[in-house]
């Protein structure tokens, strides 16, 4: 292990540290980039998801905003936004309810004035067309319902190109002194024949950042997170400016070269294609986080475990091998991958679910599995009621129980491992993102005082290459 890392570190050193950041896509620790990954949205369980996209540069930008359902990462809504210099775009996801009050879809709305051609800003339900057209196995299996798939998932923002001052596109998106873009109709007209017949799109330059808020209005709680920023996504800033409604570009469209830090050592890697490259940025052998289940304040903990790059790896229709590091194709219902989990309470008491002891319990000898793109791992005390209300109300749910020894505390941490998977370059693990969400209710608070609390904590992890 150490020898392999040292060898790669020497190669990276010969290439030059500056080259790591300038010549390859990388997750930017400063939080800005050309691509933003938001690991989770949901409109279930009384939750709304609010989000923002910020342009920190002096140029206008064409960006693609795309929402992907939680089972197989198929698009349920995407649109173009034309951000002016130093602009902000915001939106909200809320539930669509049937006559019985059940959540049957998600809806996007915005009061933002920035130009988003052809998007009904006041209200746009998620759409089934991409599932119907690109996911034939799901259609054949009767698994194309938005009620089952679109109420949770993740979303992404991709910079497609920029426009400098002096171009018509820049001037049209500019808010000027009125706070309203000069001419949003320009962008709709420019795409009438699905070819942008105006300015030549200039190279991408990054500088985007974003955030999201998961809000439960009825319970008075909100949980916030920052989008993960991938910079130098495009080779030489090439970009790909496509029409509203076009499913390109995607996160598989980027440079095949990536730069990562492996235990503090800078490493340059080249993958066979863009899909495997961006997966390499997110690959972890292990992820770590905490749980807090304090009974005195009705503590709850759920981990979001999202595989944001999974779709192009597993959607082979069974005709060709699944692309590593994943090893099970999407069959129209699921694509399941085993994981290991060990939990420690705050006083070193340990629990490793024997044979994958989850709720409901699988057959003896099988390990627990994450079967979807967005998964929720719920932690329960040893004897807690599994039917109790959850935080996210996810249907992509796996439940584990914390240490049951007599002296075990109600709080601790856990390690989830993906030891069985290896990518094309020998790195062990799966491409993963997410966080731990914790919620508490203080039933003893004085009358009139806010008694609901919540927190969100991004996963930590281990990057480990094969020996």
């Amino acid at each position: 292990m150490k020898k392999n890392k040292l060898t790669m570190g020497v190669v990276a050193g010969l290439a030059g540290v500056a080259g790591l950041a300038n010549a390859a896509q990388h997750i930017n620790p400063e939080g800005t980039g050309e691509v933003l990954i938001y690991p989770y949205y949901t409109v279930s369980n009384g939750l709304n998801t609010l989000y923002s996209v910020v342009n920190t540069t002096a140029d206008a930008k064409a960006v693609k905003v795309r929402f992907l359902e939680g089972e197989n990462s198929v698009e349920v809504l995407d649109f173009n936004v034309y951000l002016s210099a130093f602009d902000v775009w915001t939106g909200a996801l809320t539930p669509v309810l049937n006559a019985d009050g059940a959540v049957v879809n998600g809806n996007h709305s915005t009061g933002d004035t920035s130009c988003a051609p052809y998007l009904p800003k006041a209200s746009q339900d998620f759409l089934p067309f991409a599932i119907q057209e690109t996911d034939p196995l799901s259609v054949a299996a009767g698994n194309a319902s938005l009620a089952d798939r679109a109420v949770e998932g993740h979303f992404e923002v991709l910079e497609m190109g920029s426009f400098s001052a002096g171009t018509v596109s820049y001037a049209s998106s500019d808010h000027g002194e009125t706070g309203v873009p000069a001419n949003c109709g320009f962008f709709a007209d420019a795409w009438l024949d699905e070819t942008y017949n105006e300015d030549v799109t200039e190279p991408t330059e990054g500088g985007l950042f974003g955030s999201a808020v998961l809000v439960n209005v009825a319970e008075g709680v909100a949980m916030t997170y920052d989008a993960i920023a991938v910079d130098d996504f495009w080779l030489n800033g090439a970009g790909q400016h496509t029409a509203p409604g076009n499913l390109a570009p995607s996160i598989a469209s980027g440079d095949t070269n990536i730069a990562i830090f492996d235990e503090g050592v800078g490493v340059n890697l080249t993958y066979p294609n863009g899909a495997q490259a961006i997966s390499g940025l997110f690959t972890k052998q292990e992820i770590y986080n905490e749980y807090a289940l304090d009974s005195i304040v009705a503590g709850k903990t759920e981990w979001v475990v999202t595989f944001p790059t999974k779709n192009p790896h597993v959607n082979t229709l069974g005709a060709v091998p699944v692309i590593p590091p994943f090893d099970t194709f999407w069959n129209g219902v699921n694509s399941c991958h085993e994981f290991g989990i060990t939990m420690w309470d705050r006083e070193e008491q340990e629990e490793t679910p024997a044979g994958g002891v989850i709720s409901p319990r699988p057959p003896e000898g099988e390990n627990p599995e994450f079967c979807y793109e967005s998964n929720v791992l719920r932690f329960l005390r040893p004897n807690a009621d599994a039917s109790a209300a959850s935080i996210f109300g996810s249907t992509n749910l796996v439940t584990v129980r914390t240490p049951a020894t007599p002296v075990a505390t109600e709080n601790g941490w856990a390690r989830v491992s993906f030891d069985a998977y290896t990518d094309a370059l020998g790195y062990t693990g799966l491409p993963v993102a997410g966080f731990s969400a914790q919620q508490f209710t203080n039933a003893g608070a004085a009358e009139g005082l806010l008694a609901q609390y919540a927190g969100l904590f991004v996963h930590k992890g281990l990057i480990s290459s094969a020996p």
Side-chain angles (χ1 to χ4, degrees), residues 31 36-42 47-54 66-68 91 93 152-157 209-215 222-229 282 289 304 306 308 373-374 392 433-437 454-459:
L36 303 177
I37 304 293
Y38 299 74
Y40 192 62
Y41 77 78
T42 182
L47 288 158
N48 301 328
T49 301
L50 316 179
Y51 73 97
S52 66
V53 184
V54 181
R66 175 174 292 125
F67 298 89
L68 303 114
L93 305 180
E152 62 184 324
H154 82 283
F155 57 109
E156 59 197 27
V157 173
F209 77 87
S211 63
V213 188
L214 305 170
V215 182
M223 294 168 281
T224 64
Y225 67 83
D226 291 332
I228 302 167
F282 288 87
N289 220 318
V304 167
T306 292
E373 169 266 319
S374 289
F392 294 124
F435 48 79
S436 169
L456 186 151
F457 308 92
V458 174
H459 295 321

Side-chain angles (χ1 to χ4, degrees), residues 390-416:
S390 63
I391 298 175
F392 294 124
S394 175
T395 56
N396 300 347
L397 188 69
V398 179
T399 300
V400 295
R401 295 186 179 272
T402 56
T405 59
V407 297
T409 66
E410 296 179 321
N411 309 287
W413 71 281
R415 177 185 67 205
V416 168

Side-chain angles (χ1 to χ4, degrees), residues 250-282:
S250 74
I251 56 170
S253 303
D255 190 1
T256 58
N257 301 299
I258 71 168
I260 63 172
F261 282 95
D262 189 346
E263 292 191 0
V265 177
V267 182
N268 270 111
L269 303 169
T270 300
Y271 281 85
N273 54 54
Q276 293 183 70
I278 195 165
S279 288
L281 289 181
F282 288 87

Side-chain angles (χ1 to χ4, degrees), residues 359-434:
S359 178
R361 183 188 299 268
E364 185 64 30
E366 292 187 7
N367 290 319
E369 296 176 319
F370 291 130
C371 291
Y372 306 106
E373 169 266 319
S374 289
N375 306 271
V376 173
L377 179 64
R378 179 172 62 162
F379 291 78
L380 290 179
R381 294 187 301 276
N383 298 313
D385 183 359
S387 65
S390 63
I391 298 175
F392 294 124
S394 175
T395 56
N396 300 347
L397 188 69
V398 179
T399 300
V400 295
R401 295 186 179 272
T402 56
T405 59
V407 297
T409 66
E410 296 179 321
N411 309 287
W413 71 281
R415 177 185 67 205
V416 168
S417 57
F418 305 108
D419 296 330
Y421 308 100
T422 304
D423 74 7
L425 300 188
Y427 276 81
T428 300
L430 291 176
V432 61

